[in-house]
Amino acid sequence: MIEEPTLELARDRLRNREVIAVVSGKGGVGKSTISALLALNIANRESTVLIDLDIHGMSIPKLFGIEDRMHEVGREGLEPIIINGKLGIISLRGVVGNKYVVLPGERRGGVLLDLFAYTNYGNAKYIVVDMPPGMSDELLVLHRLRDYTPIIVTLPSRQSIGVVEDLLKYLVDSGIRPRAMVINMAFMACGNEVVKPFGDTRWAIELARKYGIEVVRELPIDPAIEDYVGRIGDYKGKLMAELNNFIDLVLRR
């Protein structure tokens, strides 16, 4: 059960900040990598905090190589771990350490809300939320907190798109405008040929049109990204350049 004072505290702390939620509907689509790169991109322009709300997977600390670092607790709450002097990161990993987390449903929402309510955001203008796959308490908690901009991540595969459509229906029914979509791992260059290992992207593009999504970007597979797991903040490859243009369009109202 969500305590109203905690809910009000979280709302107050998020006031006057832009919240961007990276959502996928299913796992295995590279959502956390996209969340990390988007947050790094935005942090190059404005102070940004990335919240890892996937409390069971907690991929963000691994991507940034901060699995063993704990959050300090100051007068204003949990202090984000700062990456590259610009991006703050908040994760349950920084609270529980190297332990797995098994939460019953009735406690899950409260833990999620606590991360929002007791974080010291400082002067961050943007809050990027790495959402877990699927549709569960995380979506409900975020919806109760405030309006947010969802960024949909999908593979071109029909299976991924089918799951994402359920997520889009939920967003529309909840009055949340789905504005941007990333079609991840859409293609790769093999010599002079372009290969689409997960199928044609037209299905994803048609889905975006159906739901009025204005900003769509097809991202390539970059095998080099694996070399940056643990130091994703150093990555400057082709995905970063593509997402730089993408986030320009998303942030432009």
Side-chain angles (χ1 to χ4, degrees):
M1 181 178 179
I2 293 178
E3 297 291 339
E4 291 300 326
T6 307
L7 180 64
E8 290 305 317
L9 176 60
R11 285 174 175 167
D12 185 61
R13 289 200 164 191
L14 291 173
R15 189 170 291 119
N16 299 323
R17 307 182 201 273
E18 295 285 335
V19 177
I20 298 172
V22 184
V23 294
S24 66
K26 75 181 295 296
V29 300
K31 172 189 54 58
S32 292
T33 300
I34 298 301
S35 297
L37 296 179
L38 283 173
L40 286 164
N41 240 309
I42 299 172
N44 285 331
R45 313 147 195 246
E46 298 278 358
S47 180
T48 303
V49 169
L50 170 59
I51 297 183
D52 179 13
L53 215 62
D54 189 354
I55 61 174
H56 298 299
M58 293 188 278
S59 298
I60 292 297
K62 184 173 182 60
L63 282 170
F64 284 93
I66 57 173
E67 306 103 304
D68 297 326
R69 292 183 61 180
M70 304 295 287
H71 291 298
E72 294 183 5
V73 180
R75 294 183 62 182
E76 298 298 321
L78 292 175
E79 298 292 340
I81 296 170
I82 305 300
I83 302 294
N84 294 353
K86 299 176 180 179
L87 175 64
I89 295 176
I90 287 288
S91 174
L92 190 61
R93 177 69 69 206
V95 177
V96 302
N98 288 322
K99 303 173 184 176
Y100 60 81
V101 177
V102 179
L103 286 174
E106 66 270 15
R107 293 189 56 195
R108 193 175 159 114
V111 170
L112 298 171
L113 186 63
D114 286 345
L115 285 177
F116 283 110
Y118 298 109
T119 288
N120 179 16
Y121 299 103
N123 63 348
K125 179 178 179 181
Y126 290 97
I127 311 299
V128 178
V129 184
D130 180 33
M131 299 288 283
M135 299 166 63
S136 189
D137 291 353
E138 293 83 358
L139 282 171
L140 300 177
V141 168
L142 192 56
H143 184 63
R144 288 194 68 188
L145 279 175
R146 55 162 300 133
D147 293 334
Y148 61 92
T149 299
I151 294 180
I152 315 297
V153 180
T154 184
L155 297 184
S157 73
R158 298 289 292 275
Q159 181 182 10
S160 179
I161 292 165
V163 175
V164 163
E165 182 159 19
D166 286 338
L167 173 62
L168 288 170
K169 290 176 182 175
Y170 162 78
L171 292 172
V172 170
D173 288 346
S174 301
I176 302 166
R177 183 186 178 198
R179 190 165 179 270
M181 175 185 285
V182 171
I183 307 173
N184 198 24
M185 300 183 241
F187 62 90
M188 65 184 301
C190 293
N192 295 324
E193 295 186 26
V194 172
V195 177
K196 297 184 176 182
F198 294 104
D200 199 295
T201 57
R202 74 178 188 275
W203 307 110
I205 292 170
E206 287 177 7
L207 183 67
R209 288 174 180 162
K210 178 179 178 180
Y211 286 89
I213 297 175
E214 301 171 358
V215 184
V216 180
R217 181 71 84 233
E218 298 180 31
L219 294 186
I221 296 172
D222 184 5
I225 197 77
E226 284 296 309
D227 297 332
Y228 290 89
V229 174
R231 56 187 187 98
I232 196 73
D234 297 332
Y235 176 75
K236 308 294 181 188
K238 58 185 73 173
L239 298 179
M240 202 63 167
E242 290 285 343
L243 287 173
N244 183 56
N245 297 328
F246 173 81
I247 205 66
D248 271 343
L249 296 173
V250 173
L251 298 183
R252 194 175 298 148
R253 302 285 178 175

